[in-house]
Amino acid sequence: MSEYFLECAFLVPIRRDSRFSDGELHSTAAWDWLESELWVRYRGRTRPLELCDGVYADKSGNAVQDLSRKYFIALREEQIDDLRELLREAKGVFYQECFYLSVRGHVEFVD
Amino acid sequence: MSNRTDVYVDLKGREISLANLDERELQLLSALESRATGQANWIDFDNAAMSMVADLYDGRGVSRNESRRTVVYRIARDLSGRLAIAAGMARAPDYRDELEEVIRTQFRTRRQFCEATGLSEDMLSHVLAHRKHMSIETLVDALKRVGYELRITPRTNGHAVESIHLLQH
């Protein structure tokens, strides 16, 4: 029987959250950090060519609009916690309150 | 990038020697540079570039931990960064980003870094969040305590890069 994987997708806004930082674009160093982590931890990932335009309510109920890069990764079930841990670490690099993570269609916010 | 063919100058103004690359690595670099100049789509370049670098080094049995330190990987990332900046999707790193990288790679926590440098956590937090700048004197003194220094380097290729970089002694 062939090994099967779970499709995981997460969004990384292209700007820092203005409540925790300056709301400016990330530096190339932040993107390099994420790419490097994904490079070593997982063998592959896919990104759609277009950015995702989103609107959501933050924890205070305020509407926030942002543009995000979307990443798809196929992982074994036992690797999902590792991805959550990576996203927790990424909060400090990308200055985000949390990250949108979808695992096989089930959405969670990693904070 | 540089006029010399044996050196690549990255966004931070650092020279990366191409002298020890083999033929396939040089061919790959040439292909990556063509892709980066031939199209402006950052994400498309990234997807293709990482796949091409993976093909080369995975095919040679090089671990990902090792391949991310290769010249080819570093230049691929640098080209990606240039496209991201040109597309208005990212900004060039400045001294605060470099400081953050030093903390992330050399210290377990910000607190540990603050204890080693004598900086207050509150001040560091504001600086890293880009809400404040640090005086040159404070930065020089803090870095000296942990084996780093400031250096002034030329701007690279039209992209705005802050001209202060951290170098380890």
Side-chain angles (χ1 to χ4, degrees), chain A residues 16 20-22 25-28 32-33 35-36 39-40 42-43 45 47-49 51 69 92-93 95, chain B residues 42-43 46-47 50 54 58 64 67-68 73 77 89-91 93 97 100 104 110 128-131:
Chain A
R16 297 160 161 239
F20 311 119
S21 179
D22 55 3
L25 294 167
H26 303 300
S27 77
T28 54
D32 285 345
W33 173 83
E35 282 299 327
S36 175
W39 177 263
V40 172
Y42 315 117
R43 301 302 288 180
R45 54 107 187 95
R47 280 189 309 240
L49 296 184
L51 297 175
R69 290 179 98 178
V93 177
Y95 287 82
Chain B
W42 169 41
I43 301 173
D46 245 8
N47 285 340
M50 292 296 95
D58 290 354
R64 289 290 178 99
S67 60
R68 74 171 155 178
Y73 178 93
R77 295 305 317 150
M89 303 286 184
R91 60 180 171 76
D97 302 300
E100 194 153 17
R104 194 166 50 238
R110 284 186 184 181
L128 295 182
H130 289 208
R131 286 191 289 259

Side-chain angles (χ1 to χ4, degrees), chain A residues 56-69:
Chain A
Y56 61 93
D58 66 16
K59 285 183 177 172
S60 312
N62 300 313
V64 178
Q65 184 167 13
D66 61 16
L67 281 174
S68 301
R69 290 179 98 178

Side-chain angles (χ1 to χ4, degrees), chain A residues 61-85:
Chain A
N62 300 313
V64 178
Q65 184 167 13
D66 61 16
L67 281 174
S68 301
R69 290 179 98 178
K70 188 169 191 176
Y71 289 78
F72 288 101
I73 314 182
L75 297 181
R76 289 189 298 273
E77 190 150 13
E78 61 268 24
Q79 292 178 292
I80 308 290
D81 276 344
D82 182 67
L83 176 59
R84 290 190 183 101
E85 199 48 50

